[in-house]
Amino acid sequence: MTVSDLMQSMDYGPAPESAAEALAWLADRGGRFGHFIDGSFTDPRDGFEAKNPATGEGLATLTQATAGDVDAAVAAARKAQPKWARLSGHARARHLYALARLIQKHARLIAVLETLDNGKPIRESRDIDVPLAARHFYYHAGLAQLLARELPGHVPHGVCGQIIPWNFPFLMLAWKIAPALAAGNTVVLKPAEQTSLTALLFADLTREAGLPRGVVNILTGDGAVGERIVAHPGIDKIAFTGSTEVGRAIRIATAGSGKALSLELGGKSPYLVFEDADLDGAAEGLVDAIWLNQGQVCCAGSRLIVQEGIAETFHARLKARMTGLRIGDPMDKCIDIGAIINEGQRDRIAAMVAGGAAEGALFQPDCALPERGCWYPPTLITGLSPASRLMQEEIFGPVLVSTTFRTPAEAVQLANDTRYGLAASVWSQSIDVALDVAPKLAAGVVWVNGANMFDAAAGFGGLRESGFGREGGWEGLVEYLRPAGTPKPLKPLVAPANANAPEPADPLDRTAKLYVGGKQVRSDGGYSRAVHGARGRRLGHVSLGNRKDIRNAVEAARKAQPGWAAASAHNRAQVLYYIAENLSARAGEFAGRLHAMTGGQKAAATAEVEASIDRLFTWAAWADKAAGEIKAVPIRGTALAMNVPAGVIGVLCPDEAPLLGLVSVMGPAIAMGNACVLVPSETHPLAATDLYQVLDTSDVPGGVVNIVTGAHPTLADPLAAHMDVDAVWSFSSSDLSATIEHAAAGNLKRTWVNHGRARDWTGPAGEGRAFIRAATEVRTVWIPWGA
Amino acid sequence: MPRTHTEDPANLCTAPAALPQLAHPRNLGIPLDPGWVRRAAVNRSAAERRCATLPGRRSVKGSIQAAWLLKAVSLIDLTTLAGDDTPGRVRRLCAKARQPVRADLLDALGVSGLTTGAVCVYHEMIAPALDALAGSDIPVAAVSTGFPAGLTPFATRLAEIEASVAAGASEIDIVISRRHVLTGDWAALYDEVRAFRAAAGPAHLKTILATGELGTLTNVARASLVCMMAGADFIKTSTGKEPVNATLPVGLTMVRAIREYHAVTGHRVGFKPAGGISTAKDALVWLALIKDELGDRWLSPDLFRFGASSLLADIERQIEHHVTGAYSAAWRHPLG
């Protein structure tokens, strides 16, 4: 075409980024890669091919890790770890800083290699992924510098096994490696088999940065390698980003192993548009929300929920915008949508759309797809209802589904009607609407008038089946730390037995019932057992709760929780003080009961009651002092890291401290706005059943605290498996950690279990920030502003 | 949301377009729709994000870039608005408008007949400009209505428009009363622009919003809508005299208003960013913004102009670079 013709057509035309340097980098390494273990590359073996999704061409040959490779990598990491952890925070900070600098120096090479390997537009790898990765290392250099002073008493887990997905290969590597290294861990990282190349480039950079050998080890291979890492006994923590399905398998595989775990899984994130929103802005926001990285984003705003009165005009604007999206060669600097990762994924997207689109109206702009490579057009399906499969299931492609709402309350209800809880967007020009709705959305990250904003300072992660744990910020760093010291093993406690023949029942003996929904109720099964004192004297009977009692208690807790969370923190503190006050008034009676049950010194029983009152004061004190943080994120605006209640927490209370143990878990749970189902000390349950009278007189709303007595092994499974329980803690002396972690995989609820280790409930280990973290979710609410 | 208006608006110039530069029916305007105006809302952060990522999303290379730059030249309102303007200065500018890019460069690109979109001057310079442009199709635009502040008596402002039209200006760039926007007096703004439009008669009316003085993007959106409802042929960002002139977020806001107005009324209104656009790279980003938000139809002098004085010089250097492969120097291109 002549220039005159081009002046008439005014088309964009090709604007290709050169692949030469990245291809030269591959060629320099022979186009074949081994693993990176103990500071050097192993000899490449014939394994599998790294492919360019946009062309189908091979880029390099990669090696499938064997069991021996995994052993070698773990051994290298294990060997390097103590010395790495002994380095000063400053020394580790310098290493992380050097990595950040190197990422910036090689930014374009990393970006181009990423796009070749993954198929995402070069704009995204160049302007989003790589700068965010560099920022992550800078930020964590800072955390390494500050760690020792800011988080005393914490030590690294040791060796971390990290498994990352193919959608943001380099960025996810940064999110995994930076905090692990900052905290003093060493890592064995496995990139996704579809996208290993930038991880191997990073391995090169660690050598250039002078990182000690063995601190970072990278294994390539498929899910089988991931399974070996997960199962490896030499690994102390697993961090996984990927599908909910695999995350669940990892939860099951690690159950009871004592390995720490953080999971960042799938999502079906809602995108709410209110009638007073900037509609063009919100339509453009969807380009960032669902068409970023071809929609292959765990936190993609994939579920549009738009106010009914504006739905028509909003969809019209959105369709117009979609028509302008450019799909094609991801190496082109003028492309919005690149290639889908592989045929399997493309076929999966196509099959889901084919299977569900008929329930609504399908729109795809008339855009030509390249002849070779792997593509899927931007897609909008309107008119769906929450019951539609496409509204419920993650598609992981450039497909937006849409439904409508009428009121803010209904918008929240629809948004939260999902198994997932990763991210959400809310668009409204009203500060009242936006800031009311945002914290109500069940998601780890909420963007007000925006989508897919990320920063190393702001925690990212989900709840429900989107996983647990955060990445970024101090909240992300603590995932890579544990308390110093090794607690003693906790021996199973045995309930004191009857010393002699059955005693005649006292006709006025009070029956210890269950406490559910603020009422004393009989157990469903109708069984009870005698509770004997340390010397064998029968002290009374306690109900033997069963799974239906758990069901009833959870139902009561779920009903009570929103109101309790909505109560002011001051109000919750007042209730905790009131419990303390009423317990204090009956201190002598409680001390007597404890002494009768547990024996020992009378003074010890009195001390436990006093410690319990003290602890209630602690949690009353914390109730209005743990709201969260403000994050310094690079926008005009802020990000709030709100500590929102986890929801309904089920706890198997310590056996050995019947009152203090129960109070120590109930306190943080209710102080932070949760409702709880407490299974009290199995061996000495009567302190708990006495306590519900105290609760009754202390203005605790019905259902906020529920007490189900019974056998821990019987109740652990229904509690941990219950889909409406958000977190389960176990401090039982029965060895139930594996049972609980296994059962928790059902809805991927968070667990906090003792792995058969004791906790000193009288000391600092019995309270503090670990309890706050366990009782809350960090909800990061991004709030850009601008008049 | 705005419904489609079919009423025949009263008291507006309904004469069909008689201007050579118009290839579409003129915007007739519609009655003021205050509900629509008030509903307009712009989220500033979202607008800024869109604009910040646009240069990274859109790129043109090689001969396509050269074509886009020449297209940009054809869209320039080559402007001089200085207190020391003289007929000689204006003649020089007009000569540049006739031959904006060195003939040998155009020959190398196989392009002929390239001129700027218009020449834009103060009223007193209309006559010399017309003189200098005689025989060309290049229209003369005059700034008017007490430019740049717009605070001269209303009758004077109307008379100024009439005088400029009588003097031969075929485009009138008026300034709106910012106070009407800042106080939310949309009816007053509507009446003012409608009166200006009537006074301009057959001349093409460009309404300058002086967006740098409107405070918020939402005000920009609302003022844009009111001006279009009142019958503006073009909406224009700035006089070039405000501290902040044509920014991309302001442009985005205005083109989205134009798009919505077109969707509702069927009328196409033109857009002119003015002031602060001085590099070839800026011009390409603006063209991408127009192409992506409004569509190719708007990439034409009847619907889009750059108000610029120094932009042309940078484009000329880039064009020479394209032709020769060597970076150029300012003194290799004739002054305007």
Side-chain angles (χ1 to χ4, degrees), chain A residues 10 12 278 280 336 429 449 636 785, chain B residues 43-45 49 57-58 259 291-292:
Chain A
M10 286 299 282
Y12 282 114
D278 172 354
D280 289 316
D336 297 304
Q429 285 302 99
N449 292 322
R636 184 187 53 236
W785 55 60
Chain B
N43 186 273
R44 182 177 155 204
S45 294
R49 279 197 300 274
R57 283 184 184 276
R58 293 293 178 258
R259 187 173 67 198
K291 182 176 169 66
D292 278 13

mmCIF file with all atom_site columns, all heavy atoms in Angstrom, chain A residues 10 12 278 280 336 429 449 636 785, chain B residues 43-45 49 57-58 259 291-292:
data_model
loop_
_atom_site.group_PDB
_atom_site.id
_atom_site.type_symbol
_atom_site.label_atom_id
_atom_site.label_alt_id
_atom_site.label_comp_id
_atom_site.label_asym_id
_atom_site.label_entity_id
_atom_site.label_seq_id
_atom_site.pdbx_PDB_ins_code
_atom_site.Cartn_x
_atom_site.Cartn_y
_atom_site.Cartn_z
_atom_site.occupancy
_atom_site.B_iso_or_equiv
_atom_site.pdbx_formal_charge
_atom_site.auth_seq_id
_atom_site.auth_comp_id
_atom_site.auth_asym_id
_atom_site.auth_atom_id
_atom_site.pdbx_PDB_model_num
ATOM 1   N N   . MET A 1 10  ? -5.831  4.181  7.556  1.00 0.00 ? 10  MET A N   1
ATOM 2   C CA  . MET A 1 10  ? -5.496  4.457  8.957  1.00 0.00 ? 10  MET A CA  1
ATOM 3   C C   . MET A 1 10  ? -5.580  3.202  9.833  1.00 0.00 ? 10  MET A C   1
ATOM 4   O O   . MET A 1 10  ? -6.054  3.239  10.968 1.00 0.00 ? 10  MET A O   1
ATOM 5   C CB  . MET A 1 10  ? -6.377  5.579  9.514  1.00 0.00 ? 10  MET A CB  1
ATOM 6   C CG  . MET A 1 10  ? -6.008  6.963  9.005  1.00 0.00 ? 10  MET A CG  1
ATOM 7   S SD  . MET A 1 10  ? -4.323  7.473  9.445  1.00 0.00 ? 10  MET A SD  1
ATOM 8   C CE  . MET A 1 10  ? -4.538  7.955  11.158 1.00 0.00 ? 10  MET A CE  1
ATOM 9   N N   . TYR A 1 12  ? -3.758  -0.029 11.933 1.00 0.00 ? 12  TYR A N   1
ATOM 10  C CA  . TYR A 1 12  ? -2.595  -0.061 12.810 1.00 0.00 ? 12  TYR A CA  1
ATOM 11  C C   . TYR A 1 12  ? -1.395  -0.755 12.158 1.00 0.00 ? 12  TYR A C   1
ATOM 12  O O   . TYR A 1 12  ? -0.298  -0.251 12.219 1.00 0.00 ? 12  TYR A O   1
ATOM 13  C CB  . TYR A 1 12  ? -2.923  -0.754 14.136 1.00 0.00 ? 12  TYR A CB  1
ATOM 14  C CG  . TYR A 1 12  ? -3.688  0.138  15.084 1.00 0.00 ? 12  TYR A CG  1
ATOM 15  C CD1 . TYR A 1 12  ? -4.991  -0.151 15.438 1.00 0.00 ? 12  TYR A CD1 1
ATOM 16  C CD2 . TYR A 1 12  ? -3.088  1.267  15.622 1.00 0.00 ? 12  TYR A CD2 1
ATOM 17  C CE1 . TYR A 1 12  ? -5.686  0.665  16.325 1.00 0.00 ? 12  TYR A CE1 1
ATOM 18  C CE2 . TYR A 1 12  ? -3.777  2.096  16.506 1.00 0.00 ? 12  TYR A CE2 1
ATOM 19  C CZ  . TYR A 1 12  ? -5.084  1.788  16.861 1.00 0.00 ? 12  TYR A CZ  1
ATOM 20  O OH  . TYR A 1 12  ? -5.758  2.585  17.713 1.00 0.00 ? 12  TYR A OH  1
ATOM 21  N N   . ASP A 1 278 ? -19.177 5.300  36.599 1.00 0.00 ? 278 ASP A N   1
ATOM 22  C CA  . ASP A 1 278 ? -18.658 5.793  35.318 1.00 0.00 ? 278 ASP A CA  1
ATOM 23  C C   . ASP A 1 278 ? -18.727 4.604  34.369 1.00 0.00 ? 278 ASP A C   1
ATOM 24  O O   . ASP A 1 278 ? -17.869 3.715  34.397 1.00 0.00 ? 278 ASP A O   1
ATOM 25  C CB  . ASP A 1 278 ? -17.219 6.277  35.528 1.00 0.00 ? 278 ASP A CB  1
ATOM 26  C CG  . ASP A 1 278 ? -16.509 6.628  34.218 1.00 0.00 ? 278 ASP A CG  1
ATOM 27  O OD1 . ASP A 1 278 ? -17.082 6.397  33.129 1.00 0.00 ? 278 ASP A OD1 1
ATOM 28  O OD2 . ASP A 1 278 ? -15.374 7.129  34.302 1.00 0.00 ? 278 ASP A OD2 1
ATOM 29  N N   . ASP A 1 280 ? -18.421 4.130  31.105 1.00 0.00 ? 280 ASP A N   1
ATOM 30  C CA  . ASP A 1 280 ? -17.332 3.903  30.152 1.00 0.00 ? 280 ASP A CA  1
ATOM 31  C C   . ASP A 1 280 ? -16.079 3.449  30.877 1.00 0.00 ? 280 ASP A C   1
ATOM 32  O O   . ASP A 1 280 ? -15.341 2.582  30.400 1.00 0.00 ? 280 ASP A O   1
ATOM 33  C CB  . ASP A 1 280 ? -17.051 5.175  29.347 1.00 0.00 ? 280 ASP A CB  1
ATOM 34  C CG  . ASP A 1 280 ? -18.172 5.477  28.360 1.00 0.00 ? 280 ASP A CG  1
ATOM 35  O OD1 . ASP A 1 280 ? -18.643 4.543  27.695 1.00 0.00 ? 280 ASP A OD1 1
ATOM 36  O OD2 . ASP A 1 280 ? -18.585 6.647  28.265 1.00 0.00 ? 280 ASP A OD2 1
ATOM 37  N N   . ASP A 1 336 ? -4.019  -6.443 22.076 1.00 0.00 ? 336 ASP A N   1
ATOM 38  C CA  . ASP A 1 336 ? -4.639  -6.493 23.401 1.00 0.00 ? 336 ASP A CA  1
ATOM 39  C C   . ASP A 1 336 ? -4.748  -7.923 23.927 1.00 0.00 ? 336 ASP A C   1
ATOM 40  O O   . ASP A 1 336 ? -4.681  -8.150 25.128 1.00 0.00 ? 336 ASP A O   1
ATOM 41  C CB  . ASP A 1 336 ? -6.053  -5.906 23.346 1.00 0.00 ? 336 ASP A CB  1
ATOM 42  C CG  . ASP A 1 336 ? -6.041  -4.443 22.949 1.00 0.00 ? 336 ASP A CG  1
ATOM 43  O OD1 . ASP A 1 336 ? -5.368  -3.662 23.634 1.00 0.00 ? 336 ASP A OD1 1
ATOM 44  O OD2 . ASP A 1 336 ? -6.694  -4.089 21.951 1.00 0.00 ? 336 ASP A OD2 1
ATOM 45  N N   . GLN A 1 429 ? -19.741 5.725  41.707 1.00 0.00 ? 429 GLN A N   1
ATOM 46  C CA  . GLN A 1 429 ? -19.164 7.039  42.005 1.00 0.00 ? 429 GLN A CA  1
ATOM 47  C C   . GLN A 1 429 ? -19.561 7.510  43.399 1.00 0.00 ? 429 GLN A C   1
ATOM 48  O O   . GLN A 1 429 ? -19.116 8.552  43.848 1.00 0.00 ? 429 GLN A O   1
ATOM 49  C CB  . GLN A 1 429 ? -19.595 8.066  40.952 1.00 0.00 ? 429 GLN A CB  1
ATOM 50  C CG  . GLN A 1 429 ? -18.884 7.916  39.619 1.00 0.00 ? 429 GLN A CG  1
ATOM 51  C CD  . GLN A 1 429 ? -17.376 8.031  39.760 1.00 0.00 ? 429 GLN A CD  1
ATOM 52  O OE1 . GLN A 1 429 ? -16.672 7.024  39.812 1.00 0.00 ? 429 GLN A OE1 1
ATOM 53  N NE2 . GLN A 1 429 ? -16.869 9.241  39.841 1.00 0.00 ? 429 GLN A NE2 1
ATOM 54  N N   . ASN A 1 449 ? -13.613 0.727  41.871 1.00 0.00 ? 449 ASN A N   1
ATOM 55  C CA  . ASN A 1 449 ? -13.437 1.420  40.591 1.00 0.00 ? 449 ASN A CA  1
ATOM 56  C C   . ASN A 1 449 ? -12.124 1.043  39.904 1.00 0.00 ? 449 ASN A C   1
ATOM 57  O O   . ASN A 1 449 ? -11.358 1.907  39.481 1.00 0.00 ? 449 ASN A O   1
ATOM 58  C CB  . ASN A 1 449 ? -13.531 2.939  40.797 1.00 0.00 ? 449 ASN A CB  1
ATOM 59  C CG  . ASN A 1 449 ? -14.938 3.365  41.178 1.00 0.00 ? 449 ASN A CG  1
ATOM 60  O OD1 . ASN A 1 449 ? -15.921 2.832  40.664 1.00 0.00 ? 449 ASN A OD1 1
ATOM 61  N ND2 . ASN A 1 449 ? -15.040 4.303  42.097 1.00 0.00 ? 449 ASN A ND2 1
ATOM 62  N N   . ARG A 1 636 ? -2.789  6.891  43.246 1.00 0.00 ? 636 ARG A N   1
ATOM 63  C CA  . ARG A 1 636 ? -3.344  8.005  44.010 1.00 0.00 ? 636 ARG A CA  1
ATOM 64  C C   . ARG A 1 636 ? -4.552  7.423  44.729 1.00 0.00 ? 636 ARG A C   1
ATOM 65  O O   . ARG A 1 636 ? -5.591  7.181  44.126 1.00 0.00 ? 636 ARG A O   1
ATOM 66  C CB  . ARG A 1 636 ? -3.751  9.160  43.092 1.00 0.00 ? 636 ARG A CB  1
ATOM 67  C CG  . ARG A 1 636 ? -4.236  10.384 43.890 1.00 0.00 ? 636 ARG A CG  1
ATOM 68  C CD  . ARG A 1 636 ? -4.805  11.468 42.996 1.00 0.00 ? 636 ARG A CD  1
ATOM 69  N NE  . ARG A 1 636 ? -5.812  10.905 42.145 1.00 0.00 ? 636 ARG A NE  1
ATOM 70  C CZ  . ARG A 1 636 ? -5.808  10.979 40.813 1.00 0.00 ? 636 ARG A CZ  1
ATOM 71  N NH1 . ARG A 1 636 ? -4.863  11.637 40.194 1.00 0.00 ? 636 ARG A NH1 1
ATOM 72  N NH2 . ARG A 1 636 ? -6.742  10.391 40.099 1.00 0.00 ? 636 ARG A NH2 1
ATOM 73  N N   . TRP A 1 785 ? -8.573  7.243  44.315 1.00 0.00 ? 785 TRP A N   1
ATOM 74  C CA  . TRP A 1 785 ? -9.462  8.396  44.390 1.00 0.00 ? 785 TRP A CA  1
ATOM 75  C C   . TRP A 1 785 ? -8.978  9.483  43.466 1.00 0.00 ? 785 TRP A C   1
ATOM 76  O O   . TRP A 1 785 ? -7.914  9.364  42.846 1.00 0.00 ? 785 TRP A O   1
ATOM 77  C CB  . TRP A 1 785 ? -9.616  8.877  45.831 1.00 0.00 ? 785 TRP A CB  1
ATOM 78  C CG  . TRP A 1 785 ? -8.352  9.191  46.574 1.00 0.00 ? 785 TRP A CG  1
ATOM 79  C CD1 . TRP A 1 785 ? -7.404  10.111 46.242 1.00 0.00 ? 785 TRP A CD1 1
ATOM 80  C CD2 . TRP A 1 785 ? -7.909  8.574  47.799 1.00 0.00 ? 785 TRP A CD2 1
ATOM 81  N NE1 . TRP A 1 785 ? -6.395  10.100 47.179 1.00 0.00 ? 785 TRP A NE1 1
ATOM 82  C CE2 . TRP A 1 785 ? -6.684  9.179  48.138 1.00 0.00 ? 785 TRP A CE2 1
ATOM 83  C CE3 . TRP A 1 785 ? -8.426  7.592  48.642 1.00 0.00 ? 785 TRP A CE3 1
ATOM 84  C CZ2 . TRP A 1 785 ? -5.960  8.822  49.287 1.00 0.00 ? 785 TRP A CZ2 1
ATOM 85  C CZ3 . TRP A 1 785 ? -7.715  7.239  49.778 1.00 0.00 ? 785 TRP A CZ3 1
ATOM 86  C CH2 . TRP A 1 785 ? -6.481  7.852  50.090 1.00 0.00 ? 785 TRP A CH2 1
ATOM 87  N N   . ASN B 2 43  ? -14.899 8.723  36.427 1.00 0.00 ? 43  ASN B N   1
ATOM 88  C CA  . ASN B 2 43  ? -13.971 8.331  37.478 1.00 0.00 ? 43  ASN B CA  1
ATOM 89  C C   . ASN B 2 43  ? -12.567 8.699  37.023 1.00 0.00 ? 43  ASN B C   1
ATOM 90  O O   . ASN B 2 43  ? -12.050 8.145  36.050 1.00 0.00 ? 43  ASN B O   1
ATOM 91  C CB  . ASN B 2 43  ? -14.077 6.836  37.756 1.00 0.00 ? 43  ASN B CB  1
ATOM 92  C CG  . ASN B 2 43  ? -13.228 6.440  38.933 1.00 0.00 ? 43  ASN B CG  1
ATOM 93  O OD1 . ASN B 2 43  ? -12.044 6.159  38.777 1.00 0.00 ? 43  ASN B OD1 1
ATOM 94  N ND2 . ASN B 2 43  ? -13.800 6.456  40.108 1.00 0.00 ? 43  ASN B ND2 1
ATOM 95  N N   . ARG B 2 44  ? -11.982 9.638  37.736 1.00 0.00 ? 44  ARG B N   1
ATOM 96  C CA  . ARG B 2 44  ? -10.713 10.189 37.259 1.00 0.00 ? 44  ARG B CA  1
ATOM 97  C C   . ARG B 2 44  ? -9.605  9.145  37.217 1.00 0.00 ? 44  ARG B C   1
ATOM 98  O O   . ARG B 2 44  ? -8.845  9.069  36.242 1.00 0.00 ? 44  ARG B O   1
ATOM 99  C CB  . ARG B 2 44  ? -10.304 11.360 38.169 1.00 0.00 ? 44  ARG B CB  1
ATOM 100 C CG  . ARG B 2 44  ? -9.028  12.021 37.725 1.00 0.00 ? 44  ARG B CG  1
ATOM 101 C CD  . ARG B 2 44  ? -8.696  13.218 38.591 1.00 0.00 ? 44  ARG B CD  1
ATOM 102 N NE  . ARG B 2 44  ? -7.280  13.492 38.565 1.00 0.00 ? 44  ARG B NE  1
ATOM 103 C CZ  . ARG B 2 44  ? -6.637  14.143 39.515 1.00 0.00 ? 44  ARG B CZ  1
ATOM 104 N NH1 . ARG B 2 44  ? -7.295  14.596 40.563 1.00 0.00 ? 44  ARG B NH1 1
ATOM 105 N NH2 . ARG B 2 44  ? -5.350  14.361 39.426 1.00 0.00 ? 44  ARG B NH2 1
ATOM 106 N N   . SER B 2 45  ? -9.514  8.336  38.259 1.00 0.00 ? 45  SER B N   1
ATOM 107 C CA  . SER B 2 45  ? -8.440  7.337  38.280 1.00 0.00 ? 45  SER B CA  1
ATOM 108 C C   . SER B 2 45  ? -8.585  6.355  37.128 1.00 0.00 ? 45  SER B C   1
ATOM 109 O O   . SER B 2 45  ? -7.593  5.950  36.512 1.00 0.00 ? 45  SER B O   1
ATOM 110 C CB  . SER B 2 45  ? -8.442  6.578  39.609 1.00 0.00 ? 45  SER B CB  1
ATOM 111 O OG  . SER B 2 45  ? -8.119  7.452  40.660 1.00 0.00 ? 45  SER B OG  1
ATOM 112 N N   . ARG B 2 49  ? -5.954  5.744  34.152 1.00 0.00 ? 49  ARG B N   1
ATOM 113 C CA  . ARG B 2 49  ? -5.368  4.422  33.864 1.00 0.00 ? 49  ARG B CA  1
ATOM 114 C C   . ARG B 2 49  ? -5.491  4.097  32.378 1.00 0.00 ? 49  ARG B C   1
ATOM 115 O O   . ARG B 2 49  ? -4.556  3.584  31.764 1.00 0.00 ? 49  ARG B O   1
ATOM 116 C CB  . ARG B 2 49  ? -6.071  3.330  34.683 1.00 0.00 ? 49  ARG B CB  1
ATOM 117 C CG  . ARG B 2 49  ? -5.607  3.208  36.110 1.00 0.00 ? 49  ARG B CG  1
ATOM 118 C CD  . ARG B 2 49  ? -6.034  1.874  36.710 1.00 0.00 ? 49  ARG B CD  1
ATOM 119 N NE  . ARG B 2 49  ? -7.457  1.694  36.730 1.00 0.00 ? 49  ARG B NE  1
ATOM 120 C CZ  . ARG B 2 49  ? -8.262  2.127  37.696 1.00 0.00 ? 49  ARG B CZ  1
ATOM 121 N NH1 . ARG B 2 49  ? -7.760  2.790  38.729 1.00 0.00 ? 49  ARG B NH1 1
ATOM 122 N NH2 . ARG B 2 49  ? -9.555  1.911  37.642 1.00 0.00 ? 49  ARG B NH2 1
ATOM 123 N N   . ARG B 2 57  ? -0.291  0.206  24.544 1.00 0.00 ? 57  ARG B N   1
ATOM 124 C CA  . ARG B 2 57  ? -1.172  -0.726 23.833 1.00 0.00 ? 57  ARG B CA  1
ATOM 125 C C   . ARG B 2 57  ? -1.156  -0.503 22.322 1.00 0.00 ? 57  ARG B C   1
ATOM 126 O O   . ARG B 2 57  ? -1.567  -1.377 21.570 1.00 0.00 ? 57  ARG B O   1
ATOM 127 C CB  . ARG B 2 57  ? -2.623  -0.527 24.283 1.00 0.00 ? 57  ARG B CB  1
ATOM 128 C CG  . ARG B 2 57  ? -2.985  -1.110 25.607 1.00 0.00 ? 57  ARG B CG  1
ATOM 129 C CD  . ARG B 2 57  ? -4.482  -0.904 25.850 1.00 0.00 ? 57  ARG B CD  1
ATOM 130 N NE  . ARG B 2 57  ? -4.868  -1.367 27.169 1.00 0.00 ? 57  ARG B NE  1
ATOM 131 C CZ  . ARG B 2 57  ? -5.157  -2.636 27.458 1.00 0.00 ? 57  ARG B CZ  1
ATOM 132 N NH1 . ARG B 2 57  ? -5.104  -3.543 26.519 1.00 0.00 ? 57  ARG B NH1 1
ATOM 133 N NH2 . ARG B 2 57  ? -5.489  -2.990 28.684 1.00 0.00 ? 57  ARG B NH2 1
ATOM 134 N N   . ARG B 2 58  ? -0.827  0.695  21.905 1.00 0.00 ? 58  ARG B N   1
ATOM 135 C CA  . ARG B 2 58  ? -0.968  1.034  20.497 1.00 0.00 ? 58  ARG B CA  1
ATOM 136 C C   . ARG B 2 58  ? 0.335   1.602  19.966 1.00 0.00 ? 58  ARG B C   1
ATOM 137 O O   . ARG B 2 58  ? 0.945   2.465  20.597 1.00 0.00 ? 58  ARG B O   1
ATOM 138 C CB  . ARG B 2 58  ? -2.100  2.059  20.315 1.00 0.00 ? 58  ARG B CB  1
ATOM 139 C CG  . ARG B 2 58  ? -3.488  1.501  20.632 1.00 0.00 ? 58  ARG B CG  1
ATOM 140 C CD  . ARG B 2 58  ? -3.899  0.438  19.638 1.00 0.00 ? 58  ARG B CD  1
ATOM 141 N NE  . ARG B 2 58  ? -5.198  -0.152 19.940 1.00 0.00 ? 58  ARG B NE  1
ATOM 142 C CZ  . ARG B 2 58  ? -5.348  -1.349 20.511 1.00 0.00 ? 58  ARG B CZ  1
ATOM 143 N NH1 . ARG B 2 58  ? -4.302  -2.063 20.877 1.00 0.00 ? 58  ARG B NH1 1
ATOM 144 N NH2 . ARG B 2 58  ? -6.563  -1.839 20.727 1.00 0.00 ? 58  ARG B NH2 1
ATOM 145 N N   . ARG B 2 259 ? -19.148 10.285 21.729 1.00 0.00 ? 259 ARG B N   1
ATOM 146 C CA  . ARG B 2 259 ? -19.639 8.954  21.349 1.00 0.00 ? 259 ARG B CA  1
ATOM 147 C C   . ARG B 2 259 ? -21.053 8.721  21.875 1.00 0.00 ? 259 ARG B C   1
ATOM 148 O O   . ARG B 2 259 ? -21.932 8.233  21.165 1.00 0.00 ? 259 ARG B O   1
ATOM 149 C CB  . ARG B 2 259 ? -18.687 7.894  21.908 1.00 0.00 ? 259 ARG B CB  1
ATOM 150 C CG  . ARG B 2 259 ? -18.989 6.487  21.453 1.00 0.00 ? 259 ARG B CG  1
ATOM 151 C CD  . ARG B 2 259 ? -17.903 5.543  21.924 1.00 0.00 ? 259 ARG B CD  1
ATOM 152 N NE  . ARG B 2 259 ? -17.907 5.416  23.377 1.00 0.00 ? 259 ARG B NE  1
ATOM 153 C CZ  . ARG B 2 259 ? -16.884 4.954  24.086 1.00 0.00 ? 259 ARG B CZ  1
ATOM 154 N NH1 . ARG B 2 259 ? -15.758 4.603  23.482 1.00 0.00 ? 259 ARG B NH1 1
ATOM 155 N NH2 . ARG B 2 259 ? -16.957 4.850  25.397 1.00 0.00 ? 259 ARG B NH2 1
ATOM 156 N N   . LYS B 2 291 ? -9.186  6.823  17.271 1.00 0.00 ? 291 LYS B N   1
ATOM 157 C CA  . LYS B 2 291 ? -9.512  5.609  16.506 1.00 0.00 ? 291 LYS B CA  1
ATOM 158 C C   . LYS B 2 291 ? -10.191 4.573  17.400 1.00 0.00 ? 291 LYS B C   1
ATOM 159 O O   . LYS B 2 291 ? -11.202 3.982  17.032 1.00 0.00 ? 291 LYS B O   1
ATOM 160 C CB  . LYS B 2 291 ? -8.224  5.047  15.895 1.00 0.00 ? 291 LYS B CB  1
ATOM 161 C CG  . LYS B 2 291 ? -8.414  3.797  15.031 1.00 0.00 ? 291 LYS B CG  1
ATOM 162 C CD  . LYS B 2 291 ? -7.082  3.402  14.398 1.00 0.00 ? 291 LYS B CD  1
ATOM 163 C CE  . LYS B 2 291 ? -7.141  2.020  13.742 1.00 0.00 ? 291 LYS B CE  1
ATOM 164 N NZ  . LYS B 2 291 ? -8.035  1.946  12.582 1.00 0.00 ? 291 LYS B NZ  1
ATOM 165 N N   . ASP B 2 292 ? -9.629  4.370  18.604 1.00 0.00 ? 292 ASP B N   1
ATOM 166 C CA  . ASP B 2 292 ? -10.158 3.324  19.482 1.00 0.00 ? 292 ASP B CA  1
ATOM 167 C C   . ASP B 2 292 ? -11.475 3.726  20.138 1.00 0.00 ? 292 ASP B C   1
ATOM 168 O O   . ASP B 2 292 ? -12.350 2.891  20.335 1.00 0.00 ? 292 ASP B O   1
ATOM 169 C CB  . ASP B 2 292 ? -9.140  2.977  20.571 1.00 0.00 ? 292 ASP B CB  1
ATOM 170 C CG  . ASP B 2 292 ? -8.083  2.008  20.057 1.00 0.00 ? 292 ASP B CG  1
ATOM 171 O OD1 . ASP B 2 292 ? -8.006  1.828  18.832 1.00 0.00 ? 292 ASP B OD1 1
ATOM 172 O OD2 . ASP B 2 292 ? -7.343  1.437  20.878 1.00 0.00 ? 292 ASP B OD2 1
#
